[in-house]
Structure formats: structure tokens, C-alpha cells
Amino acid sequence: MAAGALCWALRAARQVLPSPCPRQVRSYYVDWRMLRDVKRRKTAYEYADERLRINAIRKNSILPKELQEVADKEIAALPRDSCPVRIRNRCVLTSRPRGVKRRWRLSRIIFRHFADHAQMSGVQRAMW
Amino acid sequence: STSSVLSADKDKFAASKDSSPEGAAKRQEDGAQTPKQQLLDIIGNMKVEVSYRKKLQQLKAGENKKQAMNKLEGLDGEGSVPQGTTEDTQRGKPLNPELVKAASAVASSLPRNKKQTESELLAQLRRHEETTDKQKKGGIINIRNVISEMAVKRQSPTQRDVRISGRISLQLDEDGQRIRPERSSAVDSRSLKVGKRLNIFTKASTEPEHTLKTASSPTIWDLEFAKEVAAVTAQPPRNGFEEMIQWTKEGILWEFPIDNEVGMEDEAEFHEHIFLEKHLECFPKEGPIRHFMELVICGLSKNPYLSVKQKVEHIEWFQKYFEEKKELLQEI
């Protein structure tokens, strides 16, 4: 467990990509919760096809029920992080779980900050 | 001792004169230097006791001597046969007086018959001048040949309009360079391949390319060196445009105009997407499983977002799954 935690600690400090020119690169995730969310997204992507197929067997009225029960057990045996329900659309910059607009992936506070500084393309203060 | 030296010089000079051009060309680089050097030294030594007048001549000639000696070396290689009698009559252009003086000085310094040597040297100089003149004129003549072939062509009004419109429209390539309207060779009345070759451009030989490709695969050191070079040459972007160019190359920025199907090239035909029944051969022909798989195929055929490969993978997974569960199915 400690070794696993160490591994994750190392991976949290993502190494800078080998880019030729020095540029500001985000090399750390904002916090551990964001990191866990990233993990969940990755495993969900890996197991997406399997989950789809097993669910197709489960949500079925044609196949025998015994087969469906076996499929239930199989899908429960998959890693817990592989289900897409556990993914939370956090803010990309502050990792805020609530008040996130999906189009910009930003929390409402920094969205307002950037929009007021005219750094959001096509976003204007509403007035009518 | 001076007589022996003189005779040695005579032999050397004779040998140098009678040699073939190839041998002279070779000797000019290696051996010609040493006997000529010796000759020059001896000539220099011989002229120590002369009068003041001759000394003046010597000084003047000495500056041109090297030129003359170089010309001598070049001329000796050309041909040893004295063609002075025929060439003497051809005096198209008077020779440079300095060269004449140098030739006379050299002829006087040499131990042989002075008048004969002087006439021969002058003849060779004249020949040299003629060849240079010919080369100079030859260049002009070639250009005249080229120009004579070309003729002034009158633009038709349609072509003129096309060209003007082409100039006005600024079509930018990806790199920002203007796209030139294609100059079709069919516009000219005569084709490109007709007419004698001018031999202005030489064909680049393709042999060295083949030899380079046969080299062994690049070693780790080569890769590291290449990486280093790339890292050094890739300078940070000077402005926003270069930054965007770099981002596009990395794939962070999309290429404009946006192509929705980037990385999604599907070369399969529509019938491969729709008619998936041929993949159902391994399944039993009756029963609920077949029913289920037919539904699966119906759904996959209606799915435009998956590639054929992905659909086949789905079907194969189901096949494997049902084979594993065969014992279970037999019990039912």
C-alpha cells in the first residue's frame, strides 16, 4: 500500500513533457481529488467496451436468466473505478466539483474572472 | 661545374618539353615543381653579374616571370610540337607588351637558341590568348543561340484576364506562400521537348543516394545526436504566430479549416458496415443466442460512429463469451 501511494505520489508530480522550447507547462494536478478523477476516467475508458457488452447481455429479455445473473456477477467483479458513474466533471483549473459549466470545463468563479478580463472568446456581459 | 649544371638544365628542359600532356599534367603537381624551382634558382644565380640595364629588365621581367613560367607549365602540357610557323601568321590580337617582355627575358635566360625559344614562347602565348578569346566569345554565342530560339509571344485577351485575376487573388498556402497559377506548357505553341539541348542544367546523379541508404540502421548515439540537434535548433517562438504553428505541429491546435474526420479514415465500403451476417457463422443457427446476435448485428449496422474493425471486435468478443459459457448453457 505504501509503495502504491509512493507510485501515485510520483505520478502526481507529472514530469514535464520533453518539449524543445521552454513553455509554461502544468506539471502537477491541482489536488489529489483531481488525480483520482483522472484515474477513474482512464479506467472507465479502458473498460468501456466490456461494460457495454456485459450490460447488453444483462438488459435483455431474450437470453436465459441464468446467463444474465452470471453477467451481473461479472460486471460487479470489474474494478470499481471503471464505472463511468463515478466520474465527476470537476473544474479544470481549481478542481471545484460544483458550479462547473460543461462547455468550458470551468467553475463559475474563474469563468467570471476570465470573462471580465476579456479572455473568453465570444463571451460578453449579458444586457437586455 | 657550371657547364655540367647547364647540361643538366638542358636535359630537364628537353624532357619537360617532349613529354606527353598527361605526364605533364601529373608532373605539374609533383615533380615539375622541383626541376622548375631548380631552374628558377639557377637562372636567378646566373643573373647576378649582369649590368644595371639588364638588372632593370630583370626586375620588370621578374614580376611577370612567375606568370610566364606558369603559362609555360600550362603550355608545355598542351603540346610540345612547335606550331609556331603556322601560328605566327595568325595575329588577330597583339599580345600584352609585358608578356612579350617576360617571354623575351625568359628566352634570353634559357641556355638554348634564344630566337627560336622566344618565337615559340610568343606563339604559345598567342595561342593561349586566342583560346581565351574564343571561350569568351563562345559564351555570348551560346546565349545568342538561346535567344534566337525564343520569340515574342502576343498574349490573347483571355489569357491576359486570367493572369490579372490570378495576380489579384491572394491564395495563401499553409506556409503563407502564394500559390502560383499553374504555368501549363501547353500554352506555348511548341512543346518543351522540341529543340536542341542547351546543357545548362546537369542531371544530379542518383548513385550517391543509393549508397547512403545502404548504411546500417542509426545507432543510439546517432539518435541522441539528432535529438540534441533538434533541441538546439528549435528556438522558442518569437511571436504568437510561431507559437500557434508549433501548437499545430504538436496537435494541440486544430488545423484550419477544421476537418471533422481527422484520424478517422475508414476505407471500408458501406456493405461491410451493414451486412455483418457473415460474421455470425460460428453461432448456432437457432435459439435465443442467435436471436440475440441478430439484434446485436442490427444495432451495429445502424451505428455510424464505429469502424468496421470495432464492430467485428464486438462480435468476436460475444463469440468468445458464449463459448466460455457453453457448459452453463448445456445445463439449461
Side-chain angles (χ1 to χ4, degrees):
Chain A
M1 283 297 288
L6 270 174
C7 280
W8 284 118
L10 280 168
R11 277 188 223 178
R14 306 276 149 169
Q15 45 174 276
V16 180
L17 293 165
S19 60
C21 76
R23 203 175 68 201
Q24 278 197 349
V25 176
R26 184 173 296 277
S27 47
Y28 296 88
Y29 284 111
V30 177
D31 54 5
W32 289 90
R33 283 175 291 176
M34 189 189 245
L35 207 164
R36 277 183 265 146
D37 195 56
V38 168
K39 261 172 32 186
R40 281 179 203 127
R41 283 169 195 263
K42 280 189 185 160
T43 55
Y45 181 80
E46 284 165 28
Y47 286 94
D49 287 337
E50 268 190 55
R51 285 192 96 95
L52 176 73
R53 291 156 190 163
I54 296 170
N55 270 328
I57 292 169
R58 280 172 68 221
K59 316 283 179 179
N60 220 336
S61 53
I62 306 158
L63 293 174
K65 285 185 187 175
E66 292 85 2
L67 201 62
Q68 285 171 3
E69 281 164 24
V70 167
D72 282 341
K73 285 176 200 166
E74 273 190 18
I75 204 167
L78 288 176
R80 199 167 271 194
D81 274 350
S82 64
C83 58
V85 187
R86 284 168 72 94
I87 293 170
R88 181 81 198 186
N89 290 327
R90 288 178 164 270
C91 169
V92 162
L93 294 180
T94 54
S95 176
R96 196 160 192 274
R98 297 193 177 120
V100 181
K101 286 309 278 180
R102 208 170 201 178
R103 182 172 171 184
W104 297 277
R105 301 178 188 176
L106 292 176
S107 127
R108 56 177 177 85
I109 301 159
I110 46 160
F111 171 83
R112 216 175 96 96
H113 177 267
F114 285 132
D116 286 341
H117 287 75
Q119 285 164 8
M120 296 292 272
S121 170
V123 174
Q124 199 188 16
R125 276 192 160 259
M127 191 168 21
W128 72 96
Chain B
S1 64
T2 51
S3 62
S4 65
V5 166
L6 280 169
S7 61
D9 291 341
K10 233 182 176 177
D11 291 336
K12 278 180 191 167
F13 191 70
S16 69
K17 263 214 157 180
D18 297 337
S19 65
S20 64
E22 292 174 7
K26 208 180 167 186
R27 276 190 309 99
Q28 274 173 18
E29 295 163 1
D30 306 304
Q33 284 298 323
T34 41
K36 292 289 181 186
Q37 273 285 311
Q38 288 172 13
L39 250 180
L40 281 170
D41 293 338
I42 288 157
I43 289 162
N45 291 334
M46 275 160 61
K47 287 285 185 178
V48 167
E49 296 165 1
V50 294
S51 66
Y52 184 63
R53 198 180 175 191
K54 280 199 176 175
K55 263 190 186 175
L56 271 177
Q57 280 187 355
Q58 254 265 292
L59 277 169
K60 278 187 191 174
E63 292 167 1
N64 300 326
K65 220 182 218 176
K66 278 194 179 172
Q67 287 181 22
M69 290 311 284
N70 290 334
K71 284 196 176 177
L72 248 187
E73 283 185 27
L75 293 168
D76 279 343
E78 281 179 13
S80 60
V81 177
Q83 296 176 0
T85 50
T86 55
E87 296 279 338
D88 272 339
T89 52
Q90 298 175 9
R91 296 188 188 190
K93 195 182 167 185
L95 294 172
N96 202 356
E98 288 183 358
L99 289 174
V100 170
K101 273 189 197 170
S104 61
V106 166
S108 61
S109 64
L110 288 169
R112 263 202 184 179
N113 188 4
K114 289 180 189 176
K115 283 186 184 174
Q116 194 187 359
T117 50
E118 198 180 329
S119 64
E120 279 172 13
L121 282 170
L122 286 169
Q124 288 198 347
L125 275 172
R126 219 168 282 117
R127 246 184 288 147
H128 185 69
E129 292 274 353
E130 280 177 19
T131 51
T132 49
D133 287 342
K134 266 188 191 169
Q135 278 177 7
K136 281 180 196 170
K137 283 178 195 168
I140 298 163
I141 289 164
N142 284 340
I143 292 167
R144 278 181 195 159
N145 279 339
V146 170
I147 292 165
S148 66
E149 286 267 314
M150 292 155 51
V152 176
K153 192 175 173 284
R154 291 201 184 153
Q155 285 183 5
S156 60
T158 52
Q159 283 177 0
R160 210 191 328 135
D161 290 338
V162 162
R163 281 184 197 177
I164 287 166
S165 67
R167 255 179 255 152
I168 288 166
S169 68
L170 186 79
Q171 299 171 19
L172 286 174
D173 215 348
E174 281 179 7
D175 298 331
Q177 291 170 6
R178 201 178 283 188
I179 297 173
R180 284 188 188 166
E182 280 185 49
R183 313 259 167 98
S184 57
S185 62
V187 173
D188 299 331
S189 58
R190 56 172 77 80
S191 67
L192 286 171
K193 315 255 175 160
V194 164
K196 63 178 175 184
R197 299 201 118 214
L198 297 168
N199 289 327
I200 298 170
F201 302 105
T202 55
K203 275 188 192 172
S205 62
T206 53
E207 285 178 9
E209 292 173 11
H210 291 304
T211 54
L212 281 169
K213 277 174 190 171
T214 54
S216 60
S217 63
T219 63
I220 296 167
W221 302 113
D222 291 338
L223 291 168
E224 281 296 317
F225 180 66
K227 276 186 206 171
E228 247 188 77
V229 166
V232 165
T233 52
Q235 295 299 323
R238 294 176 295 181
N239 51 36
F241 290 115
E242 290 193 2
E243 200 181 25
M244 285 204 275
I245 290 167
Q246 198 152 16
W247 284 346
T248 313
K249 281 182 193 165
E250 286 177 29
I252 297 167
L253 201 64
W254 288 341
E255 287 184 8
F256 291 93
I258 290 178
D259 183 18
N260 275 325
E261 289 169 14
V262 169
M264 219 169 72
E265 290 174 29
D266 203 9
E267 287 117 9
E269 299 285 318
F270 72 98
H271 56 84
E272 288 175 44
H273 277 91
I274 292 167
F275 302 114
L276 298 162
E277 278 157 14
K278 58 185 174 182
H279 301 289
L280 277 192
E281 285 161 11
C282 302
F283 286 96
K285 303 236 169 153
E286 283 177 359
I289 293 176
R290 181 81 186 187
H291 189 38
F292 173 73
M293 287 314 295
E294 277 173 10
L295 284 174
V296 164
I297 274 164
C298 179
L300 284 175
S301 66
K302 290 184 189 177
N303 189 338
Y305 301 109
L306 297 178
S307 65
V308 174
K309 202 179 164 192
Q310 285 168 321
K311 292 180 186 177
V312 168
E313 276 175 13
H314 274 298
I315 296 167
E316 281 174 5
W317 185 91
F318 275 117
Q319 189 187 328
K320 252 196 305 178
Y321 184 80
F322 286 126
E323 275 179 19
E324 284 170 16
K325 309 293 170 192
K326 244 184 188 175
E327 304 95 23
L328 188 74
L329 292 169
Q330 301 297 339
E331 289 168 27
I332 303 163

